[in-house]
């Protein structure tokens, strides 16, 4: 089976870890162009991040540019036809599960069933404090949120959940998701996150695991699922190194994979051999047009060899 490939959108989050200089002056038109190119070029999904607010102590590194994922993905849903829409990742513990379910069920409905709900525990203490959520208990909060969201995004018009933190029944929510089961992908690479993905998720979104660490993590997920008797489909993801299709004429950085289509595909197929099902690719670029050219080249020339 071929590797599926998706990407995180540019512009919508501008951390210094990955943002290109041209993104600082970019906006909605650039997001639309990227989304349409991805849709035409066979990408499996587009992803958008989630932060409510960035504290001053982190603003220099993270920036304060973080578009809302529901609004961003809904905006792009109307401009695309087949590509799926992924929150990578929604910090669902910051909001009541019924609120999260209302937003994302509506997104799934409006997009014709294209939502993938990626979730994570979060890492910015001040966000939790400002919203009245205990940062130290964010793992336990996420665990229950996943259970509550399974109910609230399920087929029942009047979902029901009774837990330690959240308790609801008798409240109808329509529209319902188009999908019978909205995929829940769990993000994070800590032991707790990996276990959470194995037991409660439909997929795993690693956070910065290098290639040499992935096989151990994937084996751990398989071991947990087998031991606990968890069955059903499960999607293993990976974030690749930065890519550049073809010979670059500028400094794309030492860690960037470059080369012709066959060369890049051979390197990326190593992920499939590890047991990865989908890769999140990212491209070095100096402009929107260079990025969309890279995306189109990847879809047309590299992807057929994956």
């Amino acid at each position: 089976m071929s590797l599926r490939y998706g990407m995180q959108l540019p512009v919508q989050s501008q951390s210094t870890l990955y943002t290109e200089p041209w993104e600082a002056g970019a906006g909605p038109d650039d997001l639309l162009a990227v989304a349409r190119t991805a849709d035409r070029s066979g990408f499996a999904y587009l992803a958008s991040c989630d932060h409510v607010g960035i504290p001053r102590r982190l603003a220099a590194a993270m920036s304060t540019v973080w578009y809302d994922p529901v609004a961003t993905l809904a905006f792009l849903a109307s401009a695309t036809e087949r590509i799926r829409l992924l929150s990578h990742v929604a910090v669902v513990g910051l909001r009541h599960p019924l609120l999260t379910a209302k937003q994302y069920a509506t997104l799934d409905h409006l997009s014709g069933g294209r939502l993938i709900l990626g979730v994570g525990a979060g890492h910015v203490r001040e966000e939790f404090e400002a919203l009245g959520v205990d940062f130290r208990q964010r793992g336990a909060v996420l665990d229950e949120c996943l259970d509550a969201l399974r109910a609230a995004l399920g087929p029942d018009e009047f979902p029901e959940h009774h837990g330690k933190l959240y308790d609801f029944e008798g409240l109808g929510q329509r529209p319902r998701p188009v999908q019978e089961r909205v995929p829940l992908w769990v993000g994070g690479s800590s032991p707790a996150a990996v276990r959470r993905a194995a037991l409660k998720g439909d997929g795993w979104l690693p956070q910065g695991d290098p290639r040499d660490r992935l096989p151990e993590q994937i084996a751990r997920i398989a071991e947990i699922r087998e031991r606990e008797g968890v069955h059903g489909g499960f999607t293993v993801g990976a974030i690749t190194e930065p890519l550049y299709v073809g010979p670059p004429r500028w400094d794309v950085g030492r860690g960037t994979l470059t080369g012709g289509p066959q060369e890049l595909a051979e390197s990326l197929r190593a992920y499939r051999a590890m047991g990865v099902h989908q890769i999140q690719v990212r491209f070095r670029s100096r402009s929107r047009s260079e990025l969309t050219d890279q995306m189109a080249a990847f879809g047309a020339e590299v992807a057929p060899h994956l």
Side-chain angles (χ1 to χ4, degrees):
M1 182 180 290
S2 297
L3 276 172
R4 286 172 286 165
Y5 56 98
M7 68 177 287
Q8 181 172 289
L9 286 157
V11 181
Q12 53 81 35
S13 68
Q14 297 192 20
S15 166
T16 58
L17 290 176
Y18 48 74
T19 301
E20 301 286 8
W22 67 267
E23 294 178 50
D29 289 345
D30 302 283
L31 284 168
L32 285 170
V34 170
R36 287 167 175 154
T37 300
D39 203 31
R40 291 192 301 265
S41 301
F43 284 68
Y45 64 78
L46 294 167
S48 183
C49 302
D50 181 26
H51 277 292
V52 172
I54 305 302
R56 290 185 186 276
R57 69 180 177 87
L58 297 175
M62 292 181 65
S63 91
T64 58
V65 179
W66 296 83
Y67 287 34
D68 177 78
V70 178
T72 303
L73 295 173
F75 172 63
L76 298 177
S78 65
T80 54
E81 296 180 357
R82 45 149 296 277
I83 198 163
R84 303 204 72 170
L85 309 163
L86 168 66
S87 56
H88 188 180
V89 289
V91 186
V92 292
L94 293 175
R95 306 164 182 90
H96 193 286
L98 282 177
L99 175 58
T100 298
K102 168 58 72 174
Q103 293 175 310
Y104 283 101
T106 303
L107 175 56
D108 194 66
H109 174 77
L110 292 173
S111 68
R114 290 191 275 149
L115 171 67
I116 303 171
L117 182 54
V119 303
H123 67 95
V124 178
R125 172 176 48 81
E126 289 90 338
E127 282 184 306
F128 285 76
E129 292 174 347
L131 296 172
V133 182
D134 189 344
F135 179 72
R136 295 167 298 178
Q137 296 299 314
R138 65 193 184 281
V141 170
L142 177 55
D143 284 337
E144 187 170 333
C145 274
L146 282 164
D147 295 335
L149 286 168
R150 282 286 186 211
L153 290 171
D156 294 337
E157 179 182 352
F158 293 86
E160 183 175 342
H161 171 80
H162 304 287
K164 294 180 179 179
L165 302 171
Y166 307 107
D167 191 290
F168 54 83
E169 65 176 312
L171 291 170
Q173 287 193 329
R174 295 181 68 186
R176 305 307 303 155
V178 171
Q179 299 177 88
E180 289 187 11
R181 182 182 176 96
V182 172
L184 295 179
W185 290 1
V186 178
S189 295
S190 69
V194 168
R195 179 176 175 80
R196 182 177 297 117
L199 294 178
K200 294 181 178 289
D202 300 304
W204 176 54
L205 294 163
Q207 188 64 39
D209 287 88
R211 287 193 189 208
D212 58 2
R213 192 177 175 217
L214 280 171
E216 179 184 350
Q217 296 275 61
I218 295 168
R220 176 69 174 150
I221 289 172
E223 176 204 348
I224 293 170
R225 287 173 65 83
E226 181 177 0
R227 185 177 67 240
E228 300 296 332
V230 181
H231 305 290
F234 191 85
T235 301
V236 174
I239 299 175
T240 73
E241 302 85 349
L243 307 177
Y244 196 89
V245 183
R249 295 185 175 88
W250 57 287
D251 183 6
V252 294
R254 291 179 58 190
T256 302
L257 296 179
T258 65
Q262 292 277 11
E263 185 179 0
L264 286 176
E266 181 180 2
S267 177
L268 294 174
R269 284 197 299 268
Y271 285 104
R272 187 179 67 190
M274 298 175 195
V276 170
H277 304 112
Q278 66 87 9
I279 51 174
Q280 187 169 123
V281 295
R282 44 187 172 169
F283 303 94
R284 295 301 318 276
S285 61
R286 295 164 294 177
S287 64
R288 181 186 90 186
S289 61
E290 185 168 30
L291 174 58
T292 53
D293 287 348
Q294 284 284 303
M295 293 167 61
F298 186 90
E301 301 169 20
V302 180
H305 304 292
L306 295 178

